[in-house]
Amino acid sequence: MKIGFIGLGLMGRPMAAHLIDAGHDLFINRVKPVSQFLVEKGATACDTAKAVAEAADIIITIVPDTPDVETVLFGDNGVAEGLAEGKLVIDMSSISPVETKTFAERIAEKGCGYLDAPVSGGEVGAKNAALTIMVGGSDEDFARGEPLFAAMGKTITHVGPVGDGQTAKVANQIIVGLTIEAVAEGLLFAKKAGADPAKVREALMGGFAGSTIMKIHGERMIAETFDPGFRIRLHRKDLALAINAAREIGLSLPNTASTEQLMNAAIARGDGDRDHSALIRTLAALAGL
């Protein structure tokens, strides 16, 4: 298929590469030295998002935040200007479920389909084509997008109509953020009490406390290797999405709010571009460690 791909960041680059490897014709935008290898693999560089949309039948976006998606889709020389009836837009960013529905309505006015398909799995999942992909949209549009998701991910779930993919991703980020905070507190408790955190982690991996986050992020916390991964700054953005959506539906998320504040403190300390496992550094500072 002719695929447009906009958003060649830490996650987007390997995802785009997998689509090329699967045999699709790829059209990309904003090629930098770090993403030049995609052109060498066969992708076609376009000057604007509009040009990408004109060349492709399905256009994928994966950019940092809600305003970024709006700009890419509806700004000057944006995707919407290059759409023709029957094309499909797939947004794989993690953004507001509410705004997602508005974007889908505006794209529908062009006679085009829309899927929200945020991902989980981080840079490792993107490189290994093992992402978890949560999809919102119609059955027909999901059927068109599913072969592309299969090239980039391992667990693909059609959650429901437009917006439900983003709702699932927000729920994911709540659980991941709070679990990272819990693992950090547990390991700091072990250290402050005089035990070896590495040995404590090893013991806990065999019980109910064992988890992917204990395995991967716990190891990063102990080794103090905090290269992203997934940046604290971006996870804080996702928790803000959760809190704002919860306010609209009248839901209290007290621990999500407290974890967001810890991430605010981490950003203030200069850790915003470290992996989210680096949240332990802020908690350690509070503990005097």
Side-chain angles (χ1 to χ4, degrees):
M1 290 185 279
K2 294 181 178 180
I3 308 300
F5 199 102
I6 299 173
L8 302 176
L10 199 64
M11 300 284 288
R13 291 192 298 272
M15 292 166 68
H18 292 314
L19 291 172
I20 296 173
D21 292 340
H24 301 292
D25 294 329
L26 213 68
F27 300 87
I28 57 178
N29 175 233
R30 295 182 181 178
V31 179
K32 298 178 180 178
V34 73
S35 51
Q36 181 62 34
F37 77 97
L38 292 169
V39 176
E40 295 167 1
K41 283 175 71 70
T44 300
C46 300
D47 291 335
T48 65
K50 175 184 176 182
V52 170
E54 288 173 338
D57 298 316
I58 298 177
I59 302 92
I60 295 172
T61 58
I62 179 165
V63 293
D65 205 350
T66 307
D68 302 305
V69 175
E70 184 170 23
T71 297
V72 166
L73 293 182
F74 306 110
D76 291 339
N77 287 312
V79 167
E81 293 184 12
L83 291 177
E85 187 172 353
K87 296 192 177 189
L88 174 65
V89 174
I90 304 175
D91 179 40
M92 303 188 78
S93 317
S94 295
I95 66 168
S96 164
V98 175
E99 291 303 310
T100 288
K101 294 176 183 178
T102 300
F103 296 161
E105 290 171 358
R106 294 174 69 179
I107 294 298
E109 292 173 359
K110 299 279 185 178
C112 299
Y114 191 98
L115 295 173
D116 56 297
V119 303
S120 179
E123 183 184 10
V124 172
K127 287 182 175 179
N128 295 331
L131 292 168
T132 293
I133 305 175
M134 299 153 268
V135 189
S138 70
D139 291 340
E140 180 183 0
D141 289 338
F142 176 73
R144 289 182 67 188
E146 191 171 16
L148 305 182
F149 300 143
M152 298 180 284
K154 186 176 181 180
T155 303
I156 302 157
T157 304
H158 185 196
V159 183
V162 166
D164 282 4
Q166 295 296 350
T167 296
K169 178 58 186 291
V170 169
N172 179 84
Q173 295 303 80
I174 291 170
I175 293 166
V176 171
L178 270 61
T179 306
I180 287 175
E181 196 276 339
V183 169
E185 284 196 13
L187 295 179
L188 285 173
F189 171 78
K191 184 174 182 179
K192 189 80 170 182
D196 181 348
K199 290 293 186 181
V200 170
R201 171 182 165 276
E202 182 181 339
L204 297 181
M205 281 300 298
F208 276 2
S211 66
T212 300
I213 289 172
M214 177 69 81
K215 178 181 178 181
I216 296 175
H217 294 77
E219 184 176 14
R220 291 175 184 172
M221 292 173 187
I222 291 166
E224 298 184 356
T225 53
F226 299 124
D227 294 336
F230 188 71
R231 290 176 172 84
I232 288 176
R233 188 180 309 281
L234 291 177
H235 203 147
R236 188 276 305 269
K237 177 265 297 183
D238 291 342
L239 294 190
L241 289 175
I243 291 166
N244 290 338
R247 183 181 300 113
E248 292 185 21
I249 62 177
L251 176 67
S252 174
L253 297 175
N255 292 326
T256 302
S258 64
T259 301
E260 185 208 22
Q261 289 302 312
L262 285 170
M263 289 185 177
N264 285 339
I267 292 168
R269 296 182 70 249
D271 284 347
D273 290 321
R274 295 181 188 266
D275 183 76
H276 46 182
S277 58
L279 187 63
I280 195 171
R281 287 165 48 88
T282 298
L283 290 164
L286 291 172
L289 293 172

